[in-house]
């Protein structure tokens, strides 16, 4: 208080660029001197106990900060406040752009593209998590009318801004490229169809009506089969008789005669008797 009383009235001086430069140099010198005065230290590992103490300190600081905050009176956000806020944002943006110096452009590498996509996905997820619950409002006829008017106005403005185009003739090369594109689209569609639909059965409920239709189809098929059989009964299909067919027919007839007359059984018995007779001759 005594210090302030002894201080007389001063003359304010404008802050010139030179004063700004001197101030920055003083800050840099102070930072350099501070770092020079710091001696060598021994690094210590961060233990779980130190992590726990650090978290506790942060929690205590947050609690004490909230306790020291007194009660405030909320004030409504008026249109005037919104206008002032927008003006401040615009002024800050203009001042920021004025202070930005010249930069050196760097090429966009695949790694930068990958990081950018990841950041966009993270931002999208975080944005959706931060969304609160909304109250759906019904779409009234008035809203539909306004929406249609807006679409028509947008279409008219879009067509007004379009410049005149130059028509190009349809050459054979363009026809060939068009057909190739259609073929590629057809192949991709067929591949997608085979992967998604082909080979998968369509499940249908087995209702009484379906069972009745299935039984009716069976009866119709049986009637049709007997009808065709009765028509074809008594008829024959002529075939060409060649030497191979005659030989096969004769062999089948011989096999049938052998099986019917028992010739094969007699041959087996005669062979057994011959073997027995040979053994008796050898032992006798």
């Amino acid at each position: 208080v005594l210090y302030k009383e002894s201080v007389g009235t001063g003359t304010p001086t404008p802050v010139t660029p030179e004063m700004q430069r001197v101030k920055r140099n003083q800050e840099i010198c102070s930072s350099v001197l501070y770092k020079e005065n710091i001696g060598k230290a021994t690094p210590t590992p961060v233990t779980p106990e130190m992590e726990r103490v650090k978290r506790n300190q942060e929690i205590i600081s947050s609690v004490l900060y909230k306790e020291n905050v007194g009660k405030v009176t909320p004030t409504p956000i008026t249109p005037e406040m919104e206008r002032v806020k927008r003006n401040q944002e615009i002024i800050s943006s203009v001042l920021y752009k004025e202070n930005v110096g010249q930069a050196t452009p760097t090429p966009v590498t695949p790694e930068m593209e990958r990081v950018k996509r990841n950041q966009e996905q993270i931002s999208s997820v975080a944005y959706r998590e931060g969304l609160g619950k909304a109250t759906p409002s019904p779409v009234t006829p008035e809203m539909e009318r306004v929406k249609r008017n807006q679409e028509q106005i947008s279409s008219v403005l879009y067509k007004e801004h379009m410049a005149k185009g130059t028509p190009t003739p349809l050459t054979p090369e363009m026809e060939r490229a068009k057909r190739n594109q259609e073929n590629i689209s057809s192949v991709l569609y067929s591949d997608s169809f085979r992967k998604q639909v082909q080979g998968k059965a369509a499940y249908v409920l087995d209702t009484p009506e379906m069972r009745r239709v299935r039984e009716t189809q069976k009866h119709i098929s049986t009637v049709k089969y007997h009808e065709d059989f009765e028509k074809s009964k008594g008829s024959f299909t002529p075939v060409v008789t060649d030497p191979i067919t005659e030989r096969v027919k004769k062999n089948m007839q011989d096999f049938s005669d052998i099986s019917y007359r028992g010739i094969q059984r007699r041959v087996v018995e005669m062979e057994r008797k011959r073997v027995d007779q040979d053994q008796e001759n050898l032992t006798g």
Side-chain angles (χ1 to χ4, degrees):
V1 174
L2 294 174
Y3 172 75
K4 292 181 180 180
E5 288 179 354
S6 60
V7 175
T9 59
T11 303
T13 57
V15 180
T16 61
E18 182 65 19
M19 295 174 67
Q20 290 284 346
R21 185 182 64 78
V22 172
K23 185 178 179 181
R24 283 198 299 272
N25 291 339
Q26 287 294 330
E27 291 175 355
I28 294 169
C29 293
S30 300
S31 176
V32 171
L33 293 175
Y34 172 75
K35 292 180 180 179
E36 288 179 354
N37 293 330
I38 295 176
K40 295 182 179 179
T42 304
T44 57
V46 180
T47 60
E49 181 66 19
M50 294 172 67
E51 289 285 340
R52 185 183 63 81
V53 172
K54 184 178 179 181
R55 283 196 301 272
N56 291 340
Q57 288 294 331
E58 291 175 355
I59 295 169
I60 292 169
S61 300
S62 176
V63 172
L64 293 175
Y65 173 76
K66 291 180 180 179
E67 287 180 354
N68 293 330
V69 175
K71 295 181 179 179
V72 296
T73 303
T75 58
I77 299 176
T78 60
E80 182 65 19
M81 294 172 67
E82 288 285 342
R83 186 183 63 79
V84 172
K85 184 178 179 181
R86 283 196 301 271
N87 292 339
Q88 288 295 328
E89 291 174 355
I90 294 170
I91 293 170
S92 299
S93 176
V94 171
L95 293 175
Y96 172 75
K97 292 179 180 179
E98 288 178 354
N99 294 328
V100 174
Q102 295 181 352
T104 304
T106 58
V108 180
T109 61
E111 181 66 18
M112 293 171 68
E113 288 286 341
R114 184 183 66 79
V115 172
K116 184 178 178 181
R117 285 196 300 272
N118 292 339
Q119 287 295 330
E120 290 175 355
Q121 293 172 0
I122 293 169
S123 299
S124 176
V125 172
Y127 171 75
R128 292 179 182 176
E129 289 179 353
L131 286 175
K133 295 182 179 179
T135 304
S137 59
V139 180
T140 60
E142 181 65 18
M143 294 172 67
E144 288 286 341
R145 185 183 65 78
V146 173
K147 184 179 179 182
R148 282 196 301 272
N149 292 340
Q150 288 294 330
E151 292 174 355
Q152 293 171 1
I153 293 170
S154 300
S155 177
V156 171
L157 293 175
Y158 173 74
K159 292 179 180 178
E160 287 179 354
H161 292 302
M162 289 181 66
K164 293 182 179 180
T166 304
T168 57
L170 192 60
T171 61
E173 182 65 19
M174 293 173 67
E175 287 286 343
R176 185 183 64 80
K178 184 179 178 181
R179 284 197 301 273
N180 290 340
Q181 287 295 329
E182 291 175 355
N183 294 334
I184 293 169
S185 300
S186 177
V187 170
L188 294 176
Y189 174 77
S190 299
D191 290 341
S192 176
F193 173 78
R194 281 194 294 271
K195 290 178 182 179
Q196 297 179 6
V197 179
Q198 192 175 10
K200 296 182 180 180
Y203 297 96
V204 182
L205 295 177
D206 191 11
T207 59
E209 182 65 20
M210 294 287 290
R211 287 195 291 271
R212 185 184 65 78
V213 173
R214 190 163 57 245
E215 291 294 330
T216 304
Q217 288 293 332
K218 288 181 181 178
H219 294 327
I220 294 171
S221 299
T222 305
V223 172
K224 181 68 175 171
Y225 172 77
H226 285 291
E227 184 180 350
D228 294 339
F229 176 75
E230 291 295 333
K231 287 181 180 179
S232 62
K233 188 167 63 174
S235 61
F236 62 93
T237 304
V239 295
V240 179
T241 303
D242 55 353
I244 296 175
T245 306
E246 289 290 338
R247 183 175 61 80
V248 172
K249 185 178 179 181
K250 187 175 180 302
N251 290 338
M252 294 301 294
Q253 187 68 35
D254 293 341
F255 288 144
S256 298
D257 291 342
I258 290 171
S259 299
Y260 177 72
R261 295 175 184 177
I263 296 174
Q264 184 70 21
R265 183 166 48 83
R266 273 189 238 166
V267 170
V268 173
E269 290 178 358
M270 290 174 65
E271 184 68 22
R272 189 174 62 251
K273 288 180 181 180
R274 187 180 65 78
V275 172
D276 294 340
Q277 187 176 0
D278 291 340
Q279 289 180 353
E280 288 178 359
N281 292 333
L282 290 174
T283 54

